[in-house]
Amino acid sequence: MMRVLRVLSLLCLATYPLWVAGLVYAGQSQHLWWVLCLFVLPQLWLADWRQPRSYVVVFATLAVLSVAWIASPQEAALFYPVWMNLGFFVLFASSLWQKPAIITRLAQAMEGELPPSGVRYTENVTKVWTVFFLINGSIAWWTATQASLSVWTWYNGVIAYVLMASLFTIELGIRYVVKKRHH
């Protein structure tokens, strides 16, 4: 049951920019509090505290709710992608100083102990994702502060996901080639 709730929660978060834009375009931005509560608060309940990403989600959730309380629900809603990227940037970047790097940990959980070349590779992948989250978060910030709602929705609801999937797919291809060379 908990797994089903987590999947539903991830689907809600993935479509979050579309819900925000829909409510704002419909002139119903006063209902953004409900979107924030329905989409974001369950993250606190569903958090798996053994996973570092849970802390990122909690950080983003508290940041969004704080901004909503202080400023407005619409501003908070627009900044959710910024807080998520900032949280993942901090998580990935800090793991480069507090080894093992996050991608190294994930790889070791899936494949066991890695050779030194595998550790170097996963540390480099962690660096790439760190830069990605920095750039993606900067663009999300720009869309929240400077761009139209349409641009914000397209970038944070579609383009950012395509970029993440592309980076992940490219890395899988490179990983396959690198593993083949070392085996």
Side-chain angles (χ1 to χ4, degrees):
M1 181 62 165
M2 197 65 132
R3 185 176 226 165
V4 171
L5 290 174
R6 279 195 177 101
V7 169
L8 288 173
S9 178
L10 285 173
L11 286 173
C12 285
L13 287 177
T15 59
Y16 173 85
L18 304 175
W19 286 94
V20 170
L23 285 172
V24 172
Y25 279 129
Q28 301 296 315
S29 58
Q30 73 273 13
H31 297 299
L32 284 172
W33 265 110
W34 293 108
V35 170
L36 291 172
C37 291
L38 290 172
F39 284 34
V40 177
L41 283 178
Q43 301 308 312
L44 299 174
W45 181 59
L46 295 170
D48 179 355
W49 298 107
R50 296 168 296 174
Q51 299 294 324
R53 74 174 177 267
S54 292
Y55 294 96
V56 172
V57 171
V58 168
F59 163 76
T61 300
L62 295 175
V64 165
L65 294 177
S66 297
V67 171
W69 186 266
I70 295 167
S72 75
Q74 185 170 338
E75 284 183 50
L78 296 177
F79 275 88
Y80 187 71
V82 176
W83 296 119
M84 287 297 290
N85 279 282
L86 177 62
F88 278 112
F89 168 77
V90 169
L91 177 69
F92 277 64
S94 66
S95 78
L96 292 168
W97 285 274
Q98 294 180 329
K99 309 254 182 201
I102 190 121
I103 300 293
T104 306
R105 284 184 235 164
L106 293 171
Q108 287 173 333
M110 292 177 0
E111 298 187 23
E113 201 58 36
L114 298 175
S117 61
V119 172
R120 277 191 307 280
Y121 175 79
T122 56
E123 286 175 353
N124 286 332
V125 172
T126 302
K127 290 174 188 173
V128 169
W129 278 104
T130 300
V131 170
F132 174 83
F133 289 124
L134 179 64
I135 293 169
N136 196 50
S138 298
I139 295 171
W141 175 82
W142 178 82
T143 65
T145 61
Q146 304 297 316
S148 68
L149 184 61
S150 177
V151 170
W152 179 88
T153 305
W154 271 105
Y155 185 78
N156 294 290
V158 178
I159 296 168
Y161 290 116
V162 169
L163 292 173
M164 278 186 262
S166 298
L167 179 56
F168 182 76
T169 302
I170 290 167
E171 191 278 319
L172 277 177
I174 293 170
R175 184 186 328 163
Y176 176 77
V177 170
V178 168
K179 281 176 80 173
K180 199 165 181 115
R181 280 189 195 154
H182 287 92
H183 285 102

